[in-house]
Amino acid sequence: MIYKDIRKFKLPDGWTEKAHQALEDIKEKPPAERIEAINQKSRIWGDLKENLKEFSHNKCWYCESKISRSDWPVDHFRP
């Protein structure tokens, strides 16, 4: 696995606020509705992909192969 100093990772502008708001929205839902609410907020995680791709130099964090073989799951950036 590639070691990266995560303190050097740049979040997209406004991402932290969106993530905090999404968490608050999800926490307010009854347990039976949370999975659907999480799925509706999945775009927030997708917004990180380009930044993570650049940060990892277009390589998988697990195997260090070029990302062209991957469908870009976020856990391939931060397991």
Side-chain angles (χ1 to χ4, degrees):
M1 184 179 302
I2 299 171
Y3 171 77
K4 291 287 188 180
D5 184 350
I6 199 68
R7 295 171 296 183
K8 295 179 181 177
F9 178 68
K10 293 182 182 181
L11 291 168
D13 290 339
W15 186 87
T16 302
E17 293 78 15
K18 285 195 282 186
H20 284 295
Q21 185 58 55
L23 177 60
E24 292 305 313
D25 294 347
I26 291 165
K27 285 168 43 175
E28 293 176 5
K29 301 283 184 192
E33 295 176 22
R34 287 187 187 150
I35 291 174
E36 181 62 28
I38 290 168
N39 288 337
Q40 290 175 355
K41 305 285 184 184
S42 66
R43 176 76 181 146
I44 293 169
W45 295 108
D47 289 344
L48 292 178
K49 286 186 177 184
E50 287 303 313
N51 294 57
L52 288 165
K53 182 175 144 180
E54 181 180 320
F55 189 62
S56 69
H57 303 286
N58 297 323
K59 292 183 178 180
C60 173
W61 290 47
Y62 290 133
C63 67
E64 298 188 44
S65 67
K66 287 292 183 182
I67 293 294
S68 60
R69 67 156 190 79
S70 175
D71 62 354
W72 293 97
V74 168
D75 74 331
H76 275 255
F77 297 108
R78 293 296 299 160

